[in-house]
Amino acid sequence: VVAAVIRLGDLELEDDRFAIHRFSAADPLWSSLDQVGMIEAPFVWAGEDRRYVVVDGFKRLRWARASGREEILCRVFPADTDYGQLWRLRAEGKLFGPPLNTAEKAQLIAKAAAVLPLPYLTERLLPALGLPPRGDVLDSWRRLAQAGDELLRAVAADEVCERVVLRLLPWSEAERTTMLT
C-alpha cells in the first residue's frame, strides 16, 4: 500500500462493490469533515487505465467532491491485490470502526459472504458482530440485505428493531410494506 495524491476524476465513484450504505440521514462525519477536514485517507484499489476503485472512504470522497476538491491523498492498493484480501480488510475496518446500524451489518454480512470463506464468516465476522456463528443466521442477514431499501431505511432509523425485522423477512414485500406503514 502506498500513499498517493489521486485526481477525483480518476476514481470510479459509481463502483460500489465495497460500499456499505448507512441508510440514515444524520451522519456526524459530514460535520467533522467540514470542521477539520479529512483525518484518515480513503483506501482505493488501483485499476486499469489509471482508474481507481474505492475500498473505504465513500463518504469522505463524496464530501471532497462536494467541497470542490480536485485531488485527494489516498492509500492505494496495487492492481494485483487479491479481491478477497481487500474484502477482509474492508470487513475488519467496519468491525472496529464506528458502531454499525442493522442495515450496515446486513450489507457487510451479505457482501462479505459473497467473497470470503465460510470459516471467516462463522468464526470471525458473525461473532464480532455479536451474532451466533450459524448458517441460518448468515442466511437471514443476507436476506435482510436484499429485502429492499425501504426496510433497510426503517431498520437503520430504528423504526423497526433488529429482532422484528428478521422476523418480517419471510413475509412478502407487500406485507412488510403494510406493516412498516
Side-chain angles (χ1 to χ4, degrees):
V1 178
V2 297
V5 175
I6 305 296
R7 289 180 21 82
L8 284 176
D10 292 337
L11 292 168
E12 296 286 351
L13 294 174
E14 294 75 31
D15 185 332
D16 68 349
R17 69 184 102 174
F18 292 100
I20 304 293
H21 303 284
R22 188 160 182 76
F23 283 100
S24 61
D27 192 342
L29 176 62
W30 291 98
S31 174
S32 174
L33 289 166
D34 287 337
Q35 291 179 28
V36 298
M38 227 180 274
I39 296 171
E40 182 78 24
F43 290 14
V44 298
W45 184 22
E48 300 172 4
D49 303 324
R50 299 197 47 83
R51 302 291 291 174
Y52 299 88
V53 174
V54 180
V55 176
D56 181 69
F58 290 89
K59 290 182 242 176
R60 286 171 278 162
L61 290 166
R62 279 197 304 273
W63 170 83
R65 179 191 278 174
S67 301
R69 306 254 188 327
E70 292 184 18
E71 297 180 328
I72 195 84
L73 179 67
C74 294
R75 296 170 81 182
V76 182
F77 289 92
D80 64 352
T81 305
D82 178 69
Y83 184 68
Q85 179 62 23
L86 289 170
W87 251 108
R88 188 179 301 252
L89 293 170
R90 178 71 169 139
E92 291 293 322
K94 285 308 231 178
L95 290 175
F96 298 102
L100 300 174
N101 66 41
T102 303
E104 291 172 306
K105 284 170 49 174
Q107 293 169 83
L108 176 60
I109 291 167
K111 287 188 173 189
V115 178
L116 297 175
L118 186 59
Y120 175 82
L121 300 170
T122 58
E123 295 169 17
R124 175 77 178 136
L125 186 65
L126 292 178
L129 292 170
L131 300 171
R134 299 188 323 258
D136 62 318
V137 171
L138 184 64
D139 291 340
S140 292
W141 283 85
R142 290 171 76 178
R143 282 196 315 276
L144 175 56
Q146 299 167 351
D149 290 359
E150 186 174 352
L151 190 60
L152 291 172
R153 271 195 248 324
V155 75
D158 287 327
E159 294 171 358
V160 180
C161 73
E162 184 175 294
R163 182 175 168 201
V164 168
V165 80
L166 291 170
R167 291 193 177 185
L168 291 176
L169 290 177
W171 294 22
S172 73
E173 187 171 345
E175 291 171 322
R176 286 194 306 256
T177 300
T178 300
M179 178 59 83
L180 288 174
T181 302

